[in-house]
């Protein structure tokens, strides 16, 4: 049974009341079919409700009014709950019976009873309307305060170094959000992989996504002191040909490095790379072990540069600047949990040099 007054509608009972009062033109919904079968299971007693592209909204309103009459126990009580006249309620039920070609209710001056067809239709319809009302409540719950599951994907190094220290405060501030953070260096598909937010660190962002810029970083070429003992640091881009590199295999051309000379000219060089890997952490360890030069975002090796375990090569040369963005699918109807995360991370990173 539906325990409601104004919430038995397909989407919201306010919408149904517009229909009952005749104020909204019909719209088509997805294809639907209601089968009402007699207790003997005879196919000639099956009542079908069809439409080309689904039930018209007025058909759904008729069924919802019928269910409300049954729940209320009378046409008069249902009319009061719907805030319409008894005649309007009777009109909707009569129209439903006419369309189905079956009497649904037996009316007397003292009581209202369901026919066999009415029992079958009510059994099918009441549960469906209750589930729709429950679904609407769930959506309303999610669009209130920030809550629910939040799926975020980020590059492994960014998630480990930048995001991880922020998680305690975020979870403390938003205890109703269940954060699922997936660290992956590949470019994920937000729709296919069902992510709410992704961190993108690149010169440009997919134009089909909404991007919130939260910072910038630059790439640097680094090597260990042990490596530079074997091979003196290069003085210019051309001298990189005398060195070996460590290739980040996710890049389209991991062995081709482009640097901007002090005179502003961009120069590219193809490196000999004895090692390729899709993990920045593995490549950083390889660089620390003196296996070769590597290119990283500055924030990823800032600690190692500060303590001298790594040294920057060609410090007078620039590399392509990277934009750090939080991306999501749409600004329209942005869920509070997504807005909370984006605003929180943007606030934490504001003013930081990455």
């Amino acid at each position: 049974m539906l325990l409601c007054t104004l919430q038995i509608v397909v989407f919201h009972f306010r919408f149904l009341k517009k229909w009952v009062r005749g104020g909204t033109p019909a719209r088509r919904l997805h294809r639907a079919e209601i089968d009402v079968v007699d207790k003997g299971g005879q196919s000639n007693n099956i009542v079908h409700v069809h439409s080309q592209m689904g039930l018209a909204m007025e058909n759904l309103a008729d069924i919802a009014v019928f269910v409300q009459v049954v729940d209320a126990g009378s046409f008069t009580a249902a009319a009061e709950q719907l805030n319409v006249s008894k005649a309007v309620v009777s009109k909707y039920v009569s129209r439903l019976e006419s369309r189905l070609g079956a009497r649904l209710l037996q009316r007397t001056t003292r009581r209202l009873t369901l026919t066999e067809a009415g029992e079958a239709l009510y059994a099918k319809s009441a549960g469906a309307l209750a589930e729709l009302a429950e679904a609407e409540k769930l959506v309303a719950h999610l669009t209130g305060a920030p809550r629910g599951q939040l799926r975020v994907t980020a590059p492994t190094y960014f998630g480990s170094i930048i995001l991880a220290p922020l998680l305690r405060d975020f979870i403390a501030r938003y205890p109703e959000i269940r954060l699922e953070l997936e660290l992956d260096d590949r470019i994920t598909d937000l729709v296919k992989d069902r992510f709410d937010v992704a961190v993108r660190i690149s010169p440009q962002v997919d134009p089909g996504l909404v991007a919130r810029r939260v910072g910038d970083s630059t790439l640097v070429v680094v090597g260990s002191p042990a490596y530079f003992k074997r091979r003196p640091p290069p003085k210019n881009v051309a001298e990189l040909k005398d060195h070996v590199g460590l290739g980040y295999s996710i890049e389209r051309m991991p062995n081709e490095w482009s640097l901007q000379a002090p005179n502003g000219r961009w120069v590219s060089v193809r490196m000999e790379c004895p090692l390729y890997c899709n993990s920045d952490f593995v490549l950083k360890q390889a660089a620390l072990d003196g296996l070769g030069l590597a290119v990283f975002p500055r924030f990823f090796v800032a600690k190692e540069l500060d303590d001298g375990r790594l040294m920057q090569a060609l410090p007078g040369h620039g590399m392509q600047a990277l934009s750090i963005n939080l991306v999501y699918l749409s600004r329209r109807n942005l869920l509070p949990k997504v807005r909370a995360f984006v605003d929180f991370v943007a606030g934490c990173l504001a003013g930081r040099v990455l």
Side-chain angles (χ1 to χ4, degrees):
M1 293 291 181
L2 290 178
L3 302 176
C4 60
T5 55
L6 298 181
Q7 294 182 341
I8 65 166
V9 248
V10 181
F11 298 107
H12 195 287
F13 214 78
R14 292 192 303 266
F15 203 54
L16 174 62
K17 287 170 67 179
K18 292 182 181 178
W19 267 100
V20 173
R21 291 167 180 168
T24 306
R27 291 196 303 121
R28 297 286 178 181
L29 298 179
H30 295 295
R31 178 176 177 82
E33 177 178 356
I34 298 176
D35 293 337
V36 182
V37 188
D38 75 341
K39 294 179 181 177
Q42 299 299 317
S43 59
N44 60 348
N45 288 326
I46 297 177
V47 180
H48 296 285
V49 181
H50 295 283
S51 69
Q52 288 280 331
M53 294 299 295
L55 289 170
M57 183 62 77
E58 68 175 20
N59 298 352
L60 291 171
D62 291 350
I63 294 172
V65 170
F66 162 74
V67 170
Q68 185 69 7
V69 169
V70 176
D71 285 344
S74 71
F75 281 74
T76 300
E80 291 177 355
Q81 293 171 0
L82 293 173
N83 196 25
V84 295
S85 69
K86 179 180 176 182
V88 169
V89 173
S90 180
K91 171 187 172 183
Y92 274 63
V93 174
S94 296
R95 184 170 62 188
L96 178 61
E97 290 178 326
S98 177
R99 185 169 60 253
L100 295 176
R103 179 172 288 278
L104 304 174
L105 296 166
Q106 294 289 1
R107 310 166 179 84
T108 67
T109 55
R110 292 189 175 183
R111 59 181 304 186
L112 189 68
T113 58
L114 284 166
T115 65
E116 193 170 29
E119 287 180 358
L121 180 60
Y122 179 80
K124 294 268 188 175
S125 304
L129 289 172
E131 288 183 9
L132 287 168
E134 187 61 30
E136 186 193 12
K137 289 179 183 178
L138 177 60
V139 173
H141 180 72
L142 291 174
T143 54
R147 58 170 62 92
Q149 184 184 42
L150 177 68
R151 283 176 49 78
V152 178
T153 178
T156 304
Y157 58 89
F158 185 87
S160 302
I161 295 174
I162 304 299
L163 286 184
L166 308 180
L167 298 184
R168 183 186 66 178
D169 290 343
F170 177 78
I171 292 172
R173 184 177 298 183
Y174 300 105
E176 293 188 75
I177 291 180
R178 302 186 308 279
L179 178 62
E180 183 178 337
L181 177 61
E182 184 169 310
L183 302 183
D184 194 334
D185 292 330
R186 66 188 177 90
I187 301 297
T188 54
D189 185 322
L190 269 67
V191 175
K192 180 181 176 182
D193 298 321
R194 301 177 65 84
F195 283 109
D196 299 296
V197 184
V199 177
R200 293 281 190 267
I201 303 176
S202 62
Q204 56 186 9
V205 177
D206 185 337
L209 299 173
V210 179
R212 172 81 173 271
R213 191 170 183 170
V214 296
D216 296 285
S217 187
T218 56
L219 295 172
V220 292
V221 181
V222 299
S224 70
Y227 174 83
F228 287 127
K229 281 183 180 180
R230 299 195 310 270
R231 302 193 184 200
K235 298 182 179 64
N236 53 56
V237 178
E239 291 187 8
L240 282 174
K241 293 180 180 179
D242 300 326
H243 291 261
V244 294
L246 303 171
Y248 186 42
S249 59
I250 288 180
E251 298 288 347
R252 187 171 61 88
M253 299 186 69
N255 66 328
E256 185 171 304
W257 299 355
S258 296
L259 294 92
Q260 188 177 30
N263 62 7
R265 181 186 174 199
W266 284 91
V267 183
S268 295
V269 60
R270 289 200 173 187
M271 301 292 295
E272 176 189 347
C273 294
L275 172 65
Y276 292 89
C277 185
N278 65 347
S279 167
D280 280 284
F281 285 96
V282 171
L283 293 178
K284 181 164 69 170
Q285 186 59 53
L288 289 167
D289 292 340
L291 295 183
L293 302 179
V295 175
F296 297 115
R298 179 177 290 276
F299 68 80
F300 184 62
V301 290
K303 183 178 180 181
E304 290 79 7
L305 288 172
D306 289 342
D307 62 24
R309 288 184 294 157
L310 289 176
M311 300 168 57
Q312 182 177 352
L314 299 170
H317 294 65
M319 298 193 77
Q320 191 171 37
L322 299 176
S323 175
I324 303 172
N325 295 279
L326 300 179
V327 301
Y328 44 95
L329 292 173
S330 175
R331 286 191 180 90
R332 184 179 180 186
N333 298 324
L334 187 64
L335 289 175
K337 62 182 181 181
V338 175
R339 186 179 301 281
F341 182 81
V342 171
D343 289 346
F344 178 85
V345 173
C348 290
L349 300 185
R352 286 182 56 176
V353 178
L354 300 175

